[in-house]
Amino acid sequence: MSICSFSNQSKFPFVLPALPYANNALMPFVSEETFSFHHQKHHNTYIVNLNKLIDGTELASLDLEAIITQTFGKADKIGIYNNAAQVWNHSFFWQSMSAPKSKVLGGEILKRIERDFGSFTAFADAFKNTGASQFGSGWVWVCEDASGKIVITKTSNADTPVTQGLNPLLTCDVWEHAYYIDYQNRRLDFLTAFIENLANWEVANQRLKH
Ligand code: FE
């Protein structure tokens, strides 16, 4: 399933997707104030900037994933790439969360986690350690590789596994703007809240394709 079908913003002009839950639905783990900045200001700014940068160019006819893959690694397109990737990453991040413990771990994703990590505890520890060890801004991802193996990866700044041949199943934003209002410098506490209480395992199961 393409991210674009989640975010209802497949082509220019891109629009800020509504959150898939009320802005107080993730409390006490993510506050309304965090959403008022992170969704309404940070995410929206990436969308406004992307639209400005591609208006009147050939990229305006492409869908979001194509804009990302066609600008990746091109020095003269870095601004477009960064904004497009951040639009994608944030749209997917909102979908990666759900009201606390409302989308419980089960089904095929649980079988794969236990097969590939031994236990959910070992998987969750690997996720938290990977997110905590991302130096500076970035993202931590649960992905499926081409053989169907579940892998945990991290990316810097706007980078996304979409350009690395991996199928993202869930992501957590570890830019400071994602957690500073609620957790200050305690990134590990935010990652723990995400993987133990907020992760949307229904979305992860739906996105498995190998
Ligand atoms: Fe963010």
Side-chain angles (χ1 to χ4, degrees):
M1 184 182 293
S2 163
I3 182 63
C4 298
S5 62
F6 280 125
S7 56
N8 294 322
Q9 51 171 356
S10 59
K11 293 246 172 104
F12 174 87
F14 296 99
V15 295
L16 182 67
L19 291 173
Y21 30 71
N23 66 358
N24 62 359
L26 307 194
M27 289 176 69
F29 301 107
V30 181
S31 66
E32 290 179 78
E33 188 182 8
T34 288
F35 278 119
S36 74
F37 284 94
H38 200 183
H39 177 247
Q40 297 291 323
K41 299 198 189 301
H42 289 278
H43 191 185
N44 195 55
T45 297
Y46 296 125
I47 289 168
V48 169
N49 287 342
L50 176 62
N51 285 333
K52 271 189 208 159
L53 288 166
I54 66 172
D55 191 7
T57 77
E58 72 281 3
L59 291 169
S61 65
L62 301 180
D63 70 28
L64 188 55
E65 289 185 23
I67 294 171
I68 293 167
T69 52
Q70 291 203 12
T71 57
F72 176 61
K74 294 181 179 165
D76 62 330
K77 299 281 196 301
I78 186 71
I80 296 172
Y81 168 79
N82 281 336
N83 282 284
Q86 284 294 77
V87 169
W88 195 106
N89 293 348
H90 283 90
S91 296
F92 188 51
F93 176 47
W94 313 135
Q95 299 291 339
S96 294
M97 298 189 289
S98 53
K101 298 196 187 289
S102 63
K103 305 293 185 188
V104 296
L105 179 59
E108 180 64 21
I109 186 70
L110 175 58
K111 286 183 201 162
R112 302 254 195 116
I113 284 171
E114 290 179 338
R115 180 193 70 186
D116 297 335
F117 290 84
S119 67
F120 175 74
T121 301
F123 164 84
D125 285 346
F127 180 88
K128 289 184 276 188
N129 290 337
T130 302
S133 65
Q134 168 56 33
F135 186 77
S137 296
W139 299 80
V140 55
W141 304 81
V142 179
C143 296
E144 177 190 39
D145 74 11
S147 71
K149 185 176 180 214
I150 304 302
V151 294
I152 295 169
T153 64
K154 59 187 176 182
T155 58
S156 293
N157 298 322
D159 283 342
T160 165
V162 168
T163 61
Q164 301 166 352
L166 293 169
N167 176 32
L169 305 177
L170 294 173
T171 194
C172 184
D173 190 339
V174 296
W175 286 56
E176 281 190 348
H177 68 224
Y179 60 85
Y180 216 83
I181 290 171
D182 300 324
Y183 297 86
Q184 293 77 49
N185 63 322
R186 291 174 285 112
R187 184 192 284 185
L188 187 60
D189 289 354
F190 174 55
L191 288 161
T192 301
F194 178 94
I195 203 66
E196 293 184 1
N197 295 282
L198 301 176
N200 190 329
W201 299 109
E202 190 175 295
V203 163
N205 265 315
Q206 286 170 354
R207 289 183 58 84
L208 286 169
K209 62 184 181 190
H210 295 297

